């Protein structure tokens, strides 16, 4: 049995610091530059959450974090209100078992609840397995994302 849990309340207040700490090893599988220690991770994520991001975690029956979804709601001029998925990662041991699908479903429900017209994400060009998953889930490629480092 898989349960998806929101880590924040409506105002963005962190409700489950215990789950945030347990999400770190899974989240680092996608974002290895994240701090390795729980305190550093908490500090980094507090800044990310202050910018509007929210997190869902997928838990098994034993309370083990199997996956993480980091998302935010915002509005732009070309799509209106949308849910943007910053990060979606399933722990390596749990891949192809429906964890990513469950996290996407939770994001879909949140997007509908918040009146979003679109669900968007970016995915690195090298992540071909993730792309196959996103295509199966109904996502399409609609633009290129350009980046230029500063400094």
């Amino acid at each position: 049995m898989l349960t998806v849990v929101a880590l924040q309340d409506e105002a963005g207040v962190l409700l489950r610091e215990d789950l945030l700490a347990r999400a770190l090893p899974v989240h680092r599988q996608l974002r290895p530059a994240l701090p390795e220690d729980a305190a550093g991770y908490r500090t980094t994520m507090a800044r990310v959450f202050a910018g509007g991001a929210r997190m869902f975690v997928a838990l098994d029956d034993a309370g083990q974090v199997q996956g993480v979804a980091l998302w935010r709601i915002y509005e732009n001029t070309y799509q209106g209100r949308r849910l943007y998925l910053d990060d979606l990662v399933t722990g390596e041991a749990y891949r192809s078992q429906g964890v990513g699908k469950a996290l996407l479903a939770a994001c879909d429900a949140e997007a509908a609840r918040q009146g979003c017209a679109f669900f968007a994400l970016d995915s690195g060009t090298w992540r071909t397995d993730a792309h196959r998953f996103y295509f199966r889930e109904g996502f399409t490629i609609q633009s290129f994302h350009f980046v230029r480092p500063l400094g």
Side-chain angles (χ1 to χ4, degrees), residues 43-119:
T43 299
T44 296
M45 295 313 296
R47 286 192 308 270
V48 173
F49 296 150
R54 301 294 180 258
M55 184 181 282
F56 291 137
V57 295
L59 305 172
D60 64 14
D61 288 338
Q64 199 66 23
V65 174
Q66 293 187 349
V68 173
L70 183 69
W71 55 272
R72 61 189 75 229
I73 304 289
Y74 73 94
E75 192 163 345
N76 61 27
T77 57
Y78 64 94
Q79 288 182 328
R81 192 164 175 81
R82 68 190 196 154
L83 185 142
Y84 179 80
L85 187 62
D86 290 28
D87 296 340
L88 178 67
V89 59
T90 298
E92 191 172 351
Y94 306 108
R95 294 189 182 143
S96 298
Q97 296 178 31
V99 176
K101 191 174 189 71
L103 288 165
L104 284 184
C107 289
D108 278 335
E110 185 64 23
R113 190 182 74 74
Q114 294 210 32
C116 295
F118 289 91
F119 182 167

Side-chain angles (χ1 to χ4, degrees), residues 20-35:
L20 179 64
R22 293 197 328 243
L24 171 59
V26 174
H27 203 174
R28 279 184 46 83
Q29 289 180 33
L30 178 66
R31 304 288 184 216
L34 284 169

Side-chain angles (χ1 to χ4, degrees), residues 145-151:
H145 180 91
F146 292 92
V147 176
R148 181 179 62 184
L150 300 173

Side-chain angles (χ1 to χ4, degrees), residues 9 75 126 130:
D9 66 11
E75 192 163 345
W126 62 93

